[in-house]
């Protein structure tokens, strides 16, 4: 999955709106085609206007409406898996153009923050970026995570970080994350420079590096955890 796809899916799950009842979207039926045989019109989702957030906003919900994120709306009403991903990432089920503009704006700002600043690229040796795996001009890990971990560590909190993905980007994430923990990250290791490396070399600090990767596989027979093995299937 591309970084932008992940950001778009995250944004879709941060915008809350009111969903009205209706029939599930049929990917084989053009959007402009009228409902046949008196069938109910497609369900609609309308943004509440509240800032994007993890928690639902406190807003009035009329009878027959449901407060949900745009992501949850698509998951319920777009049954085809391919069409579901397309609707989530393109925001094409958002009828209001201004709302789509707000969502696209959040995506654009997030993508901008995922880009390595030009001044860093110019002043940092290419080898330093390449050793971390940052060759494309963008980060693999959202910068917020580095700031969060530095803050939690400085406060002495007990916590753990779990990276989970349906793709094959684990090695890239592992490289950047371990560089951060070992004070080799050209941008974000400065956040913990006063604390010390999180690689187990300092007695009172934990080793937060990724050492091994595992696979969680699930089918009709149930879940299966395969330790020390990285694979996308059986």
């Amino acid at each position: 999955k591309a970084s932008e796809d992940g950001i778009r899916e995250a944004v879709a799950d941060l915008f809350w709106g009111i969903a009205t009842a209706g029939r599930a979207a049929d990917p084989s039926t053009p959007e402009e085609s009228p409902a046949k045989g008196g069938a109910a019109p497609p369900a609609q989702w309308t943004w509440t206007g509240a800032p994007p957030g993890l928690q639902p906003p406190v807003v009035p919900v009329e009878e027959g409406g449901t407060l949900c994120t745009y992501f949850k709306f698509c998951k319920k009403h777009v049954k085809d898996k391919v069409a579901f991903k397309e609707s989530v990432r393109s925001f094409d089920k958002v009828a209001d153009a201004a709302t789509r503009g707000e969502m696209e704006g959040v995506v654009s700002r997030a993508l901008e923050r995922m880009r390595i600043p030009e001044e860093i690229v110019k002043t940092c040796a290419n080898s330093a970026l390449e050793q971390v795996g940052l060759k494309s001009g963008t980060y693999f890990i959202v910068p917020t995570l580095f700031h969060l971990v530095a803050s939690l560590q400085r406060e002495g909190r007990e916590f753990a970080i779990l990276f989970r993905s349906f793709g094959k980007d684990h090695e890239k994430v592992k490289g950047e994350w371990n560089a951060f923990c070992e004070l080799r990250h050209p941008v974000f290791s400065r956040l913990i420079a006063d604390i010390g490396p999180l690689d187990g070399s300092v007695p009172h600090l934990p080793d937060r590096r990724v050492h091994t990767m595992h696979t969680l596989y699930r089918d009709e027979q149930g879940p299966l955890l395969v330790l020390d093995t990285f694979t996308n299937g059986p």
Side-chain angles (χ1 to χ4, degrees), residues 23-234:
R23 59 183 172 84
D26 181 357
S28 65
T29 303
E31 194 67 30
E32 64 274 14
S33 297
K36 297 180 180 180
Q44 293 187 336
W45 180 88
T46 305
W47 180 37
T48 62
L54 296 174
Q55 299 299 321
V58 180
V59 294
V61 180
E62 296 182 359
E63 184 178 354
T66 303
L67 180 64
C68 65
T69 64
Y70 175 69
F71 184 95
K72 296 297 192 303
F73 171 80
C74 291
K75 189 173 184 178
K76 180 177 180 180
H77 294 284
V78 183
K79 302 304 181 183
D80 180 79
K81 291 184 178 180
V82 175
F84 162 71
K85 288 184 178 180
E86 176 61 27
S87 291
V88 166
R89 296 170 182 174
S90 68
F91 313 139
D92 63 5
K93 292 293 182 286
V94 180
D96 182 60
T99 299
R100 288 199 304 275
E102 289 286 342
M103 298 172 80
E104 290 289 353
V106 175
V107 171
S108 296
R109 291 192 292 275
L111 287 173
E112 183 62 31
R113 285 167 173 75
M114 288 296 290
R115 295 189 182 95
I116 302 174
E118 190 64 30
E119 59 269 22
I120 297 295
V121 176
K122 290 181 178 179
T123 59
C124 185
N126 288 333
S127 59
L129 292 174
E130 290 177 359
Q131 287 175 7
V132 183
L134 301 177
K135 303 177 182 179
S136 61
T138 61
Y139 305 116
F140 294 120
I141 300 175
V142 291
T144 300
L145 179 61
F146 297 118
H147 288 271
L148 173 63
V149 168
S151 178
L152 293 176
Q153 193 65 56
R154 188 168 285 106
E155 293 175 7
R157 302 285 192 93
E158 292 186 8
F159 67 96
I161 301 296
L162 173 65
F163 293 104
R164 178 172 175 263
S165 174
F166 290 99
K168 299 180 179 179
D169 48 4
H170 297 73
E171 286 291 350
K172 296 177 180 179
V173 171
K174 176 183 176 182
E176 185 176 9
W177 175 254
N178 286 356
F180 168 73
C181 294
E182 296 168 358
L183 299 183
R184 294 186 295 105
H185 198 291
V187 181
F188 295 114
S189 284
R190 61 179 174 78
L191 298 174
I192 58 173
D194 61 317
I195 301 174
L198 303 177
D199 60 1
S201 61
V202 179
H204 67 283
L205 294 176
D207 185 352
R208 297 197 181 279
R209 293 175 298 175
V210 174
H211 293 282
T212 59
M213 293 180 285
H214 316 293
T215 297
L216 178 63
Y217 177 72
R218 182 169 54 202
D219 58 18
E220 65 277 1
Q221 297 181 19
L224 175 65
L225 179 61
V226 186
L227 299 177
D228 300 322
T229 301
F230 174 52
T231 175
N232 252 359

